[in-house]
Amino acid sequence: MSPILAVICLVAGFALLVKGADWFVSGASGLARRLGVSPLIIGLTIVAFGTSAPELAVSVTAALDGANEIAVGNVVGSNIFNLLVVAGVSAILCPLAADRTLLRRDWPCSALAAIILTVMLMFGNNITRFESIILLVLFAGMLVWQIRGTSVPTENNAEEHRPGWLLAVGIVGGIACIVIGGQLSVNGATELARAFGWSESLIGLTIVAIGTSLPELVTSIVAARRGENEIAMGNVIGSNLFNILGILGISALLNPITVAPTAVFDAALLTVVSLVFWFVARRGTLPRAAGVTMVMIYIAYTGYLIVR
């Protein structure tokens, strides 16, 4: 595959990923509203899983193709992008009031997931099938805890007026676009890495991670501008939990993942920023100043990746 064709595949893949995620989130969120699910749960589960579907498609495809560093780099890079850029830009546009349940339960669990990943990579630079089962069990337990621990209002049932068949078309069509887009993105990114001599780790942490995180960015910005803070922050934290526990768990279960030693630093950085900005948000809001700082840290990190 020529570099030009690889770029075309990458762009087409990202376009399908973004559009597919948009359709999926719209249909799934509409279905959730019909069932009267709380906004926080919508953000932590339906929207988070929908916007993380590109990461799932890319990482699973990369793992099956043996591109292990893209699989891990995509997840870690996406999580860093979600936390620093998605949450940061959202806070810049509209200071985010953090939900108490999110601060008490979900954000600490997201940081814990990053710590677990860092420890796994420190001892062997790999994720075995046994470790993948641990991640998936933790993910299942977290999901049950989230659903049981969040109240479910019933007054929102009438907010969704679209017919059920239209919601179903959006969900199915979105998944189809996500799967196809994921395959195109991995193929294009892998060929670019080979053509320009870039490492798979760099491609996964930057181009692929940013591309697959576009749905989170768009969704959280729109939610923040509408004042739907629970969905904006729930999307970020829920996506980060799903990426580590769910996506890496599934990817490593299909094909055990071995990565470069530098992946430990990236996972450790994710842990540090998760903890630091959790302490900042515990004051009740994520202010604009914090958002600017988060974006600047990401720019510096990207520069480091290129030099590395």
Side-chain angles (χ1 to χ4, degrees):
M1 183 186 297
S2 67
I4 295 178
L5 185 57
V7 171
I8 293 174
C9 285
L10 197 60
V11 173
F14 286 161
L16 285 172
L17 287 172
V18 173
K19 193 60 181 178
D22 179 52
W23 285 347
F24 177 84
V25 169
S26 178
S29 297
L31 181 61
R33 282 193 296 271
R34 281 196 168 202
L35 298 175
V37 179
S38 72
L40 180 59
I41 283 296
I42 291 177
L44 285 169
T45 57
I46 303 295
V47 176
F49 298 169
T51 55
S52 286
E55 284 93 334
L56 175 61
V58 168
S59 290
V60 169
T61 303
L64 291 174
D65 290 346
N68 289 332
E69 291 188 16
I70 286 183
V72 174
N74 173 44
V75 165
V76 176
S78 292
N79 279 20
I80 294 174
F81 184 85
N82 287 347
L83 191 58
L84 295 181
V85 179
V86 176
V89 171
S90 298
I92 291 172
L93 294 175
C94 180
L96 298 175
D99 181 85
R100 291 180 61 185
T101 302
L102 188 78
L103 290 173
R104 186 177 64 252
R105 181 191 65 194
D106 304 298
W107 200 323
C109 286
S110 177
L112 179 61
I115 292 172
I116 292 172
L117 175 61
T118 303
V119 172
M120 286 182 176
L121 296 180
M122 286 178 62
F123 296 96
N125 291 323
N126 61 10
I127 303 175
T128 65
R129 281 198 171 94
F130 176 73
E131 290 171 332
S132 74
I133 293 174
I134 294 176
L135 294 177
L136 291 173
V137 169
L138 290 173
F139 175 66
M142 183 66 209
L143 187 58
V144 171
W145 188 23
Q146 286 175 338
I147 295 175
R148 288 186 175 181
T150 306
S151 60
V152 180
T154 58
E155 63 270 16
N156 294 330
N157 292 12
E159 291 185 1
E160 181 55 56
H161 302 290
R162 286 174 294 174
W165 68 266
L166 187 59
L167 298 177
V169 168
I171 293 172
V172 174
I175 292 175
C177 288
I178 287 167
V179 171
I180 297 172
Q183 182 67 60
L184 288 174
S185 298
V186 170
N187 290 344
T190 304
E191 291 301 323
L192 276 179
R194 294 171 180 169
F196 293 101
W198 298 349
S199 68
E200 289 183 352
S201 176
L202 177 60
I203 291 290
L205 285 164
T206 55
I207 297 176
V208 177
I210 293 172
T212 56
S213 289
L214 290 178
E216 282 94 336
L217 180 61
V218 174
T219 300
S220 287
I221 287 177
V222 171
R225 293 182 67 87
R226 292 178 179 177
E228 297 174 347
N229 291 329
E230 290 179 332
I231 289 182
M233 285 305 301
N235 175 38
V236 170
I237 301 303
S239 293
N240 281 12
L241 275 168
F242 180 56
N243 287 350
I244 292 179
L245 301 180
I247 293 177
L248 278 185
I250 293 172
S251 300
L253 186 64
L254 294 173
N255 188 16
I257 297 174
T258 302
V259 297
T262 52
V264 178
F265 171 82
D266 302 315
L269 175 65
L270 174 60
T271 299
V272 171
V273 295
S274 296
L275 291 171
V276 168
F277 290 105
W278 172 55
F279 282 109
V280 173
R282 287 185 65 185
R283 296 182 178 181
T285 61
L286 198 60
R288 284 193 173 93
V292 172
T293 303
M294 294 162 87
V295 173
M296 291 178 63
I297 291 175
Y298 185 79
I299 293 173
Y301 170 65
T302 302
Y304 160 75
L305 289 177
I306 295 173
V307 173
R308 186 174 76 182

